[in-house]
Amino acid sequence: MTRLARSVHPGAWWLWALGMAAAASRTANPVLLVLILAAVGFVVAQRRDDAPWALAFRMYLSLGAFIVVMRVGFRIVFGGGQGDTVLFTLPEVPLPQWAAGIRLFGPVAAEQLLGGLYDGLRLATMVVCVGAANALANPKRMLKALPGALHEIGTSVVVTLTVAPQLVESVQRVRRARLLRGSTVKKGYRGIGALRGIVVPVLEDAMNRSLALAAAMASHGYGRTGRADPRTRLLTGALVIAGLLGVCGGLYGALGASTPPYLGTPLLLAGLALAVAGFVLGGRRVTRSTYRPDPWRGAEWTVAASGLAAGALMYVVSRTDAASLYPSLSPLAWPEVTALPALAALAGVLPARLAPAPPRAAPRPGEAAA
């Protein structure tokens, strides 16, 4: 039976991505991180549509590669000689007495380089997971799914999240325009010429589209707030802020190994209760209608469950067999992978087959003939 093409609820994609990012945050094993990257990239390649924000995934991959290079570079510049296996030695730069404890260049050990590589790869994987959510989830549809209390904040977040995809689309539009005018790809794209040939038109196009989006949202009533007395607003703000602080403290207590017990699950549940109470109270003053709300069906449950299962399994492994998640640097050893962490890393690939394919734009007559 052929499954009909439809868009998956954006909240399901964000839950999946956050679960994969949580799984990546629990390990520094490069094999597991590469498996997570492969799973996330495969899902994006199979289930992204033709929307502008789907084109920004390459930018997140480039950002992740930049993070890895920078972390390794910092280890080389600011002293990477703490280890037994010295790879090479750079001329050390002498520093004044007030900068004692900081060393520039000098011997570079393999242990420090691998430590920077592992840390950078972990951070890059988390960034790519967030980029996958931006590439798969429609930010405008996500705004419809937010509760009424988060309507104003959600509007600002949606506008912020659309900046990167709009810049990517603007770069492509400027590039196509230059090619149509007879400009070569290399001409004007390097050095100072890029500032006038690419950066200025891209920024101008992004600014014009942002102003058009703001005008369209204002004409549709975005930013309208309901009437509420000052006491209700003060109580709502206090509940939401206290709840979010409780959630942050609870997450820190749940993820930390040396924190007191009351900073874990009890504080997390109390913070969630306060935040929900604030959202419900604040949502009463926001009256808005929703046109064709996005359904939450079995595919959404499958997508969200696959990402959350990856994070949950990796959390269980960190509590039972943490040594398999962090390769040994002293002494140096090859990263080893056991069955359960590998299963957790590969659990996120399920949406590539179980989620419905997104609707594609109809090809143009010239493209169909070709």
Side-chain angles (χ1 to χ4, degrees):
M1 180 178 179
T2 304
R3 181 175 298 179
L4 296 178
R6 71 176 182 90
S7 298
V8 179
H9 195 287
W13 285 124
W14 272 103
L15 290 176
W16 167 80
L18 291 177
M20 298 299 292
S25 67
R26 305 298 299 184
T27 179
N29 192 321
V31 179
L32 295 176
L33 293 174
V34 170
L35 287 177
I36 294 176
L37 284 174
V40 170
F42 184 71
V43 172
V44 172
Q46 294 294 319
R47 288 298 177 260
R48 68 175 177 179
D49 53 13
D50 302 327
W53 50 82
L55 304 176
F57 186 67
R58 296 178 183 177
M59 184 185 67
Y60 287 96
L61 291 176
S62 302
L63 179 60
F66 176 76
I67 291 174
V68 174
V69 173
M70 290 300 296
R71 291 301 294 266
V72 176
F74 275 127
R75 293 296 179 96
I76 296 176
V77 173
F78 295 102
Q82 290 79 14
D84 299 330
T85 308
V86 178
L87 299 177
F88 53 89
T89 302
L90 298 175
E92 185 174 350
V93 178
L95 297 177
Q97 185 65 28
W98 56 267
I102 301 177
R103 182 167 58 87
L104 294 180
F105 300 106
V108 178
E111 290 82 357
Q112 290 297 314
L113 286 184
L114 288 178
L117 177 64
Y118 295 165
D119 292 340
L121 186 60
R122 175 169 55 181
L123 181 57
T125 305
M126 298 171 64
V127 170
V128 171
C129 290
V130 176
N134 284 321
L136 295 171
N138 189 334
K140 299 177 183 178
R141 291 174 55 215
M142 187 65 185
L143 180 61
K144 298 193 303 182
L146 291 177
L150 298 178
H151 183 63
E152 291 83 2
I153 299 177
T155 303
S156 304
V157 172
V158 167
V159 174
T160 304
L161 291 178
T162 54
V163 171
Q166 285 183 1
L167 288 177
V168 174
E169 187 181 10
S170 298
V171 170
Q172 294 180 349
R173 293 174 60 184
V174 171
R175 181 177 180 274
R176 288 195 300 265
R178 291 175 60 87
L179 291 177
L180 290 175
R181 289 195 298 266
S183 300
T184 60
V185 177
K186 296 182 180 180
K187 183 180 180 181
Y189 275 76
R190 297 181 183 275
I192 304 299
L195 180 62
R196 183 179 59 183
I198 299 178
V199 177
V200 174
V202 166
L203 293 179
E204 182 181 1
D205 183 68
M207 181 65 68
N208 291 334
R209 298 185 65 179
S210 299
L211 293 176
L213 176 61
M217 295 177 70
S219 64
H220 286 78
Y222 285 94
R224 173 184 176 272
T225 58
R227 297 180 179 179
D229 58 283
R231 294 182 179 180
T232 304
R233 293 184 179 180
L234 180 60
L235 179 60
T236 302
L239 288 176
V240 172
I241 293 176
L244 294 180
L245 291 177
V247 169
C248 294
L251 290 176
Y252 175 77
L255 298 178
S258 60
T259 54
Y262 62 86
L263 286 181
T265 304
L267 184 58
L268 178 61
L269 296 178
L272 287 175
L274 291 177
V276 170
F279 291 154
V280 172
L281 184 61
R284 294 180 179 178
R285 65 183 182 92
V286 179
T287 303
R288 61 190 181 102
S289 59
T290 303
Y291 175 69
R292 297 178 64 182
D294 296 320
W296 189 282
R297 300 172 183 169
E300 281 74 14
W301 286 111
T302 302
V303 170
S306 62
L308 296 178
L313 288 176
M314 201 68 75
Y315 176 77
V316 172
V317 175
S318 66
R319 292 295 183 178
T320 58
D321 188 17
S324 62
L325 300 181
Y326 297 92
S328 175
L329 294 176
S330 181
L332 288 176
W334 288 100
E336 298 181 358
V337 179
T338 56
L340 190 57
L343 179 62
L346 295 177
V349 80
L350 295 178
R353 287 292 176 261
L354 300 182
R360 301 290 182 179
R364 298 177 180 178
E367 297 175 351

